[in-house]
Amino acid sequence: MPKAWSDKRERQFEHIKDSEKEQGASSRRAEEIAARTVNKHRAQSGEAHTASGTSVRDMSPQRRGGLRSGTNRPKGPTRDQLYNEAKKCNIEGRSKMTKGQLARALGRV
């Protein structure tokens, strides 16, 4: 974590990183997502010395959620994220289910 981050931002980073790991992201990917999210918050709140225009004007990371810009595929959680949620709910046959089947089994469709 960069030295410029406050204690609040460090806690936020750890929370987001842990959340991403629970959703099935690798450690490296979880850290990347957490760092980008924290830096975007810093830019939007004026804590960063420099910030891109898109970081400042774009919607917040929480509001954006599972949206993926620039793709034509369905939006929302990945198959791995749905699988991990199904595992927590003890849904049988989850390993052979497709993304759509997992979503239906979890009541998301």
Side-chain angles (χ1 to χ4, degrees):
M1 290 172 280
K3 294 274 187 205
W5 288 3
S6 64
D7 289 342
K8 174 185 175 181
R9 296 301 181 197
E10 288 182 24
R11 288 191 309 273
Q12 184 181 31
F13 172 83
E14 291 299 326
H15 177 73
I16 295 168
K17 183 175 78 169
D18 293 343
S19 177
E20 288 297 323
K21 283 183 179 179
E22 286 177 15
Q23 293 178 30
S26 68
S27 294
R28 186 173 178 174
R29 179 71 177 148
E31 286 183 10
E32 179 183 350
I33 291 169
R36 286 174 186 242
T37 303
V38 169
N39 284 332
K40 187 166 188 175
H41 277 287
R42 289 181 67 239
Q44 289 178 336
S45 66
E47 295 173 36
H49 294 291
T50 59
S52 69
T54 54
S55 286
V56 176
R57 289 188 306 270
D58 196 15
M59 67 177 82
S60 72
Q62 285 81 10
R63 182 163 177 246
R64 187 161 186 221
L67 299 177
R68 295 187 188 94
S69 60
T71 64
N72 290 327
R73 63 181 183 246
K75 310 297 188 235
T78 64
R79 188 217 175 259
D80 290 339
Q81 290 170 335
L82 291 171
Y83 175 84
N84 287 336
E85 190 175 333
K87 187 176 181 180
K88 288 178 185 175
C89 295
N90 293 324
I91 294 176
E92 291 187 29
R94 62 186 175 267
S95 63
K96 296 180 182 175
M97 290 184 183
T98 64
K99 179 179 178 178
Q101 291 169 330
L102 285 166
R104 281 190 292 280
L106 291 166
R108 296 229 176 164
V109 180

